[in-house]
């Protein structure tokens, strides 16, 4: 049946709880009402208050208790109400969850999942507060011992969440709030987020990107776009217009896992195209985009036909309502950047 991302998340959690008796789900309002966005709705009724329950309004306690549960054999899945609320939990995630395997020399692992909605400004018209609008994936990616996932489409969201639950190490699952429900709007573009998602227990491979559009090497594609999260939809729209109107051949890659990221897939594409554009909503400096471009420079330098480029948010605090539309990366901005790259040098 067709599902949106919230429904795909609920399905994945239900499948995991059915298959794994040690899985517990909790967070602020996650039990009785199903979380602020209802991603855990109905799970308490199906599995009881001991396996799906509300947590105190204390992110440090939520994360710290999950570490204790994990090293004692449970498989906790915790929900941070927004990624901007996760900072009080950072010590538990960095100092304990991420280091437990190394600290105990393999005696203990932290098999836990931290879910959190991110990028509240994605639909460009909700006037979210700044603490609801964090783009902090690079902070998590910088922590050795933690895996980081960023969801985009419902079918992949289900598979990635199940893969995160099965991982023996802690996984941060960042869910783009703007793509949670049936449609996603980015400035003047609106997309249907729903797609067919089966009820089967299907697991993705963490660390493997998804190539959404690919060309054979003999066709000599023109450019590689690497993106993740909600920008997958904007990049797809931009690529479609550019191929129809400009006849550009563009390979499009959805990273899906940000740490570890799929270097091989990206490098192989850039070696074919000679051009790389990384699209992300996060701030520009010290970002996931920066890491990708650095690796491409190291491994593809002799193949490049123009400088690898990033199209990102600005190095500013997320603007309030009236400034949102200027901050958002839209298909128009993507198309403009691609045309500049295709005309290099000018």
């Amino acid at each position: 049946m067709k599902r949106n991302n919230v429904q795909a998340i609920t399905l994945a959690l239900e499948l995991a709880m059915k298959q794994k008796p040690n899985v517990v789900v909790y967070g602020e309002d996650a039990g009785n009402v199903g979380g602020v966005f209802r991603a855990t709705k109905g799970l308490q009724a199906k599995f009881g208050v001991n396996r799906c329950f509300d947590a105190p309004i204390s992110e440090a306690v939520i994360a710290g208790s999950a570490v204790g549960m994990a090293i004692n054999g449970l498989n906790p899945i915790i929900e941070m109400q927004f990624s901007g609320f996760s900072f009080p939990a950072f010590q538990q995630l960095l100092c304990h969850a991420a280091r437990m395997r190394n600290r105990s020399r393999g005696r203990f692992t932290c098999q836990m999942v931290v879910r959190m909605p991110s990028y509240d400004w994605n639909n460009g018209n909700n006037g979210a507060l700044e603490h609801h609008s964090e783009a902090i994936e690079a902070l998590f990616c910088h922590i050795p011992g933690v895996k980081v996932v960023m969801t985009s489409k419902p079918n992949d969201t289900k598979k990635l969440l199940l893969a995160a639950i099965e991982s023996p190490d802690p996984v941060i699952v960042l869910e783009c709030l703007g793509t949670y429900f049936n449609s996603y709007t980015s400035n003047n573009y609106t997309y249907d987020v729903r797609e067919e998602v089966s009820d089967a227990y299907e697991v993705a491979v963490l660390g493997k990107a998804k190539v959404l559009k690919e060309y054979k090497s003999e066709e000599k594609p023109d450019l590689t776009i690497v993106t993740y999260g909600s920008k997958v939809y904007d990049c797809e729209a931009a690529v479609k217009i550019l191929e129809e109107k400009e006849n550009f051949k563009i390979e499009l890659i959805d990273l899906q896992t940000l740490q570890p990221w799929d270097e091989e897939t990206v490098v192989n594409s850039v070696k074919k195209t000679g051009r790389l554009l990384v699209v992300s909503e996060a701030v520009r400096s010290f970002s996931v985009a920066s890491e990708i471009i650095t690796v491409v420079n190291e491994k593809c330098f002799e193949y490049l036909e123009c400088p690898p480029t990033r199209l990102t948010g600005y190095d500013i605090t997320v603007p309030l309502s009236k400034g949102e539309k200027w901050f958002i990366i839209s298909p128009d901005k993507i198309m403009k950047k691609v045309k500049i790259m295709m005309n290099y040098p000018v």
Side-chain angles (χ1 to χ4, degrees), residues 18-304:
K18 284 180 179 177
Q19 184 159 317
K20 302 175 184 296
N22 64 334
V23 168
V24 294
V25 175
Y26 65 100
E28 296 165 11
D29 300 319
N32 185 41
V33 300
V36 68
F37 299 109
R38 305 301 187 261
T40 59
K41 185 177 180 180
L43 296 180
Q44 187 177 86
K46 290 180 180 178
F47 299 99
V49 295
N50 291 327
R51 296 190 64 197
C52 181
F53 50 89
D54 295 332
I57 304 175
S58 173
E59 285 74 19
V61 169
I62 294 170
S65 60
V67 173
M69 290 180 186
I71 63 177
N72 283 283
L74 292 177
N75 191 345
I77 305 168
I78 61 176
E79 178 184 292
M80 299 286 170
Q81 210 164 69
F82 292 92
S83 62
F85 296 168
S86 67
F87 297 111
F90 225 77
Q91 182 187 16
Q92 299 296 332
L93 298 175
L94 190 156
C95 297
H96 300 300
R99 300 181 182 183
M100 192 59 66
R101 180 191 288 275
N102 182 68
R103 178 181 297 154
S104 65
R105 296 301 185 261
R107 289 178 59 226
F108 299 107
T109 62
C110 267
Q111 188 173 15
M112 57 182 280
V113 175
V114 185
R115 293 182 41 251
M116 58 182 84
S118 303
Y119 294 4
D120 199 16
W121 66 78
N122 269 334
N123 60 7
N125 58 15
N126 56 7
L129 300 174
E130 62 183 70
H131 291 301
H132 292 180
S133 301
E134 304 291 342
I136 56 176
E137 61 267 26
L139 300 183
F140 294 117
C141 290
H142 196 67
I143 304 173
V146 170
K147 297 174 183 176
V148 182
V149 167
M150 177 71 88
T151 65
S152 54
K153 299 193 174 184
N155 199 41
D156 296 319
T157 293
K158 181 196 80 170
K159 296 177 184 179
L160 287 165
L161 181 51
L162 287 172
I165 294 167
E166 292 199 353
S167 172
D169 296 302
V171 183
I172 309 291
V173 179
L174 300 170
E175 302 159 359
C176 292
L177 177 52
T179 65
Y180 256 175
F181 303 108
N182 292 347
S183 63
Y184 159 54
T185 300
S186 177
N187 284 359
N188 297 321
Y189 294 82
T190 299
Y191 316 102
D192 184 356
V193 175
R194 297 168 300 171
E195 65 177 8
E196 290 293 329
V197 180
S198 78
D199 294 331
Y201 192 102
E202 301 168 307
V203 180
V205 177
L206 295 182
K208 184 65 176 174
K210 185 174 184 178
V211 181
L212 300 175
K213 195 165 187 65
E214 185 176 19
Y215 287 88
K216 303 294 183 182
S217 55
E218 58 267 19
E219 296 180 82
K220 185 56 179 78
D222 298 306
L223 182 138
T224 300
I225 294 180
V226 176
T227 190
Y228 55 89
S230 65
K231 294 300 100 179
V232 167
Y233 294 92
D234 294 302
C235 287
E236 283 185 321
V239 167
K240 182 178 180 181
I241 294 170
L242 287 168
E243 292 195 334
E244 291 175 353
K245 294 188 175 181
E246 305 291 340
N247 200 30
F248 294 157
K249 295 182 176 66
I250 300 173
E251 295 207 334
L252 178 59
I253 298 172
D254 177 3
L255 280 183
Q256 298 197 328
T257 307
L258 307 184
Q259 177 62 285
W261 65 281
D262 190 350
E263 292 185 18
E264 181 180 7
T265 295
V266 173
V267 165
N268 287 341
S269 178
V270 175
K271 284 182 177 179
K272 287 192 292 181
T273 65
R275 298 179 180 90
L276 170 68
L277 174 63
V278 185
V279 180
S280 165
E281 278 187 302
V283 295
R284 180 179 180 86
S285 300
F286 307 99
S287 61
V288 172
S290 303
E291 173 66 17
I292 295 169
I293 287 174
T294 297
V295 170
V296 166
N297 274 326
E298 291 172 346
K299 296 188 176 183
C300 305
F301 188 77
E302 66 272 28
Y303 296 89
L304 296 175

Side-chain angles (χ1 to χ4, degrees), residues 299-321:
K299 296 188 176 183
C300 305
F301 188 77
E302 66 272 28
Y303 296 89
L304 296 175
E305 298 181 23
C306 79
T309 303
R310 53 191 162 171
L311 181 60
T312 69
Y314 302 106
D315 288 339
I316 61 173
T317 302
V318 175
L320 297 180
S321 182

